[in-house]
Amino acid sequence: MLTLSLNISLIIMSLSILVCFIRVVKGPTMSDRVVALDTIGITLIGVIGIVMIIQNTLAYAEVILVIAILAFIGTIALAKFIEGGVIFDRDHN
């Protein structure tokens, strides 16, 4: 029963990633694209977590950590780009 529930969750999360990818491609504004990318990252972390439960292993824990860090850095960089148009501010004044 747990395996069936986890498999259904994987299917729903996969559809969610697909919908978010469509939003990334077609998003009318840059903010929509950033939110969709962040949602893809979080959903991907959930997918990997469910795969870890199904396989009864901790082998992918580092993968989850790396994806979380990359999603966070990507979201911050894109938010800063939207705010000011530059990611690295070289003006020290």
Side-chain angles (χ1 to χ4, degrees):
M1 185 67 183
L2 179 64
T3 305
L4 178 65
S5 300
L6 293 173
N7 286 331
I8 290 172
S9 298
L10 281 177
I11 291 170
I12 292 171
M13 292 174 94
S14 299
L15 291 175
S16 172
I17 289 174
L18 179 68
V19 170
C20 286
F21 183 74
I22 292 171
R23 177 56 66 190
V24 168
V25 172
K26 292 181 67 176
T29 64
M30 188 63 122
S31 300
D32 294 334
R33 292 183 172 120
V34 170
V35 170
L37 278 174
D38 196 34
T39 305
I40 287 173
I42 299 300
T43 307
L44 200 57
I45 289 170
V47 167
I48 294 172
I50 289 174
V51 169
M52 285 175 54
I53 293 172
I54 290 174
Q55 294 182 353
N56 197 18
T57 181
L58 293 175
Y60 305 120
E62 292 88 9
V63 175
I64 288 177
L65 183 63
V66 169
I67 290 175
I69 291 171
L70 289 176
F72 175 73
I73 292 172
T75 301
I76 296 297
L78 286 172
K80 187 163 173 132
F81 178 74
I82 290 172
E83 179 183 298
V86 292
I87 296 174
F88 297 108
D89 190 16
R90 298 188 187 272
D91 187 20
H92 297 291
N93 295 329

